């Protein structure tokens, strides 16, 4: 019997998302694509779901139909060439001139996830940030032109919708579990007023049944999260989990089972060291009342 195909790699997932997006931009159905190119609808479905690696000839045919410019063609062909290789340093650079394909792909992963486990050492998690906090963190931390800030703040706000409404095909919003170092609560990003409003926002979000917040207090001393922030994206039975680390060079995606398991152990350790959700809320409320 033939060996069944393994789960799609991050590169293959990204390529699938790109192909689906390009077809949507061209306003074509799969049936119309088949009529105009001869690419079978079933084949196209498998390509857009990451179930198969496309041949270069098929890609070129689709690119011609979708009107894909040369630079993007080259990027996607290189992506397809390496699609079977696990792990990926994706071009998710928040200081890019525009919202990069890598960022859009990350957001598609995030929107499809059923669970998100996020550790943050110095900042409030992006999905929990107020617009004012997000704006201040971008202005003071990331070297991008000010005219790009509002676009990035808007995108971040749009991402937050996954906390309050189910993704397509799901009955409930994503289950979000955030663990933060106490430094994230005490660093006055944007000034006292902005930070107080941000802490109030955390208190509001903590009341949602799908959101758990925990804080590791300073008096716990050193902990594994001091190496850096990360997020684990869980997809239930539909796909293997992913780990994402944000870096200056881009987002590092990890998907080997041993790597995902290692980060899972780290997150469980951080949860055990942190205050429970009720005590975390009490700490946040105390900081608001100062």
């Amino acid at each position: 019997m033939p060996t069944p195909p393994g789960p799609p790699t991050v590169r293959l997932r990204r390529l699938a998302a790109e192909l689906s997006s390009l077809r949507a931009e061209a306003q074509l159905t799969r049936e119309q694509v088949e009529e105009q190119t001869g690419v079978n609808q079933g084949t196209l479905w498998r390509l857009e779901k990451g179930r198969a690696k496309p041949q270069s000839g098929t890609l070129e045919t689709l690119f011609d139909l979708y009107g894909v410019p040369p630079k993007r063609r080259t990027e996607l062909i290189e992506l397809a060439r390496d699609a079977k290789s696990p792990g990926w340093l994706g071009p998710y650079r928040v200081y890019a001139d525009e919202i990069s394909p890598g960022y859009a792909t990350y957001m598609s992963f995030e929107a499809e996830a059923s669970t998100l486990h996020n550790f943050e050492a110095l900042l409030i998690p992006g999905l929990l940030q107020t617009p004012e906090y997000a704006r201040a963190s971008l202005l003071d931390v990331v070297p991008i032109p000010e005219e790009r800030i509002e676009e990035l703040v808007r995108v971040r706000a749009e991402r937050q919708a996954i906390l309050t409404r189910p993704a397509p095909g799901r009955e409930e919003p994503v289950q979000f579990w955030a663990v933060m170092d106490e430094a994230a609560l005490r660093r006055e990003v944007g000034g006292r007023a902005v930070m107080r409003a941000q802490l109030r926002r955390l208190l509001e979000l903590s009341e949602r049944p799908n959101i758990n917040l925990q804080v590791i207090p300073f008096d716990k001393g050193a902990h594994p999260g001091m190496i850096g922030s990360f997020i684990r994206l869980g997809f239930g039975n539909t796909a293997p989990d992913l780990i994402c680390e944000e870096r200056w060079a881009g987002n590092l995606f990890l998907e080997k089972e041993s790597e995902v398991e290692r980060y899972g152990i780290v997150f469980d350790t951080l949860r055990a060291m942190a205050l429970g959700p009720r005590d975390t809320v009490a700490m946040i409320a105390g900081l608001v009342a100062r």
Side-chain angles (χ1 to χ4, degrees), residues 157-198:
E158 290 178 356
R159 287 171 52 204
Q160 295 172 355
I162 66 172
L163 297 177
T164 56
R165 66 170 184 253
R170 297 192 183 279
E171 297 180 357
E172 299 178 348
V174 67
Q175 295 293 314
F176 185 63
W177 199 306
V179 179
M180 297 167 279
D181 191 280
E182 186 176 345
L185 300 182
R186 292 191 176 274
R187 187 177 302 279
E188 292 188 352
V189 174
R192 186 175 295 272
V194 169
M195 197 64 203
R196 181 171 284 126
Q198 175 62 72

Side-chain angles (χ1 to χ4, degrees), residues 14 18 21 25 71-72 75-76 88-108 148 151-152 155 249-251 253:
R14 182 197 161 188
E18 294 284 353
S21 177
E25 290 171 9
K71 182 180 178 181
R72 196 172 182 190
E75 293 174 349
L76 295 178
W88 179 41
L89 183 62
Y92 173 16
R93 298 182 176 88
V94 294
Y95 50 86
D97 292 336
E98 58 186 26
I99 301 301
S100 71
Y103 192 179
T105 303
Y106 171 80
M107 289 190 293
S108 72
R148 298 296 303 139
E151 175 72 6
L152 293 170
V155 170
N251 265 22
F253 291 91

